[in-house]
Amino acid sequence: MQRQIFDDYESLSSAAADLVLETVRQNPGAVLCFATGNTPVGTYRQLIEKARARQADFSQCFCFGLDEWVGVPPEKSGTCHQILHEQLFKPLGIRGTQVHLFDGMTDDISAECRRMNEMIRQKGGIDLMLVGIGLNGHIGFNEPGCSPELEAHDQELHESTLASGQHYFNEPTPIAKGLTLGLAQVRAARTVLLLANGAGKASIIQKALEGPVTPEVPASHLQQHEGAVVMMDKAAAAQLTQ
Ligand code: PGA
């Protein structure tokens, strides 16, 4: 696992955007997976600016979404679906046929998860997965205690995830469960780019990077991933001891 520490959020976001662009430049057919949340907002903004300036070509790549809220219509502001399409795919010219996201409105969760797993296998696995980290150490909706062997699955969400999740919506929205790629798929991605910024993440970043590898801190599994890159700003890295 590599660590990179940046002075501030803008330089962290710029480096993360560069890594996505470089991945697609080297492999135009790259299979990508994107998270939502506050952390990657700057990365996506810079990715769009840089992609336009460099005339980057995303027409051959394929994109997965990391997770989705169960029971929230996809067009609603705040879903992973709506955020990724509006803030990333449309501005980059990525077409609907190049994207596979969880359907949070499915009435057959097992079938939905099987479809996701099958699609990832068909595409030959994920080349670059961009993720954030929850205050409880989750990646996607892999909450503390999740088996590292799981593929796509549904998950009851923890209090802290529900509380921060509510901020993504522009009106109170009932949420209880999520659909997520599993830690097996995070661990199998050729590169996992984990982003963290702000002092609020300093404690969990220290546990995830320097504490024991344990299901209680799902992001700690990245310590054993040779292709993991953790990009942090100084505030998020403040409690690291090494
Ligand atoms: P955040 O969420 O980027 O909004 O901090 C991260 C996460 O919960 O994975």
Side-chain angles (χ1 to χ4, degrees), residues 36-40 132-135 138-140 164 168 201:
T36 54
N38 293 323
T39 311
I133 180 170
L135 290 171
H138 73 201
I139 291 183
S164 48
Y168 305 140
K201 296 285 171 73

Side-chain angles (χ1 to χ4, degrees), residues 12-157:
L12 155 75
S13 301
S14 173
D18 285 341
L19 181 59
V20 177
L21 282 169
E22 187 52 24
T23 301
V24 174
R25 195 187 61 78
Q26 282 182 16
N27 174 13
V31 177
L32 310 170
C33 175
F34 294 106
T36 54
N38 293 323
T39 311
V41 169
T43 300
Y44 296 162
R45 188 175 23 79
Q46 296 215 31
L47 180 55
I48 292 159
E49 283 167 18
K50 288 172 190 259
R52 284 187 182 141
R54 296 179 203 171
Q55 299 188 325
D57 180 8
F58 282 81
S59 65
Q60 306 301 312
C61 68
F62 195 86
C63 302
F64 288 99
L66 178 63
D67 53 23
E68 188 56 281
W69 307 99
V70 169
V72 185
E75 63 282 1
K76 201 168 150 72
S77 169
T79 61
C80 303
H81 206 280
Q82 187 269 340
I83 292 169
L84 288 178
H85 275 288
E86 295 305 321
Q87 296 182 13
L88 193 61
F89 300 149
K90 279 188 195 161
L92 289 176
I94 293 172
R95 302 178 309 276
T97 51
Q98 294 174 258
V99 172
H100 186 80
L101 306 178
F102 280 114
D103 172 9
M105 296 301 284
T106 182
D107 51 16
D108 188 343
I109 282 180
S110 307
E112 183 60 21
C113 292
R114 275 198 307 277
R115 221 157 61 89
M116 176 59 86
N117 295 338
E118 187 47 39
M119 198 70 173
I120 292 175
R121 269 191 275 279
Q122 248 181 45
K123 296 290 172 192
I126 294 170
D127 294 304
L128 174 66
M129 184 183 277
L130 186 154
V131 300
I133 180 170
L135 290 171
N136 62 4
H138 73 201
I139 291 183
F141 289 140
N142 292 281
E143 299 283 40
C146 257
S147 161
E149 309 303 330
L150 282 178
E151 295 194 312
H153 61 103
D154 62 328
Q155 174 76 44
E156 297 288 340
L157 300 174

Side-chain angles (χ1 to χ4, degrees), residues 162-181:
L162 294 172
S164 48
Q166 220 28 265
H167 296 298
Y168 305 140
F169 296 102
N170 54 11
E171 58 186 355
T173 301
I175 44 175
K177 255 180 156 186
L179 284 166
T180 185
L181 296 194

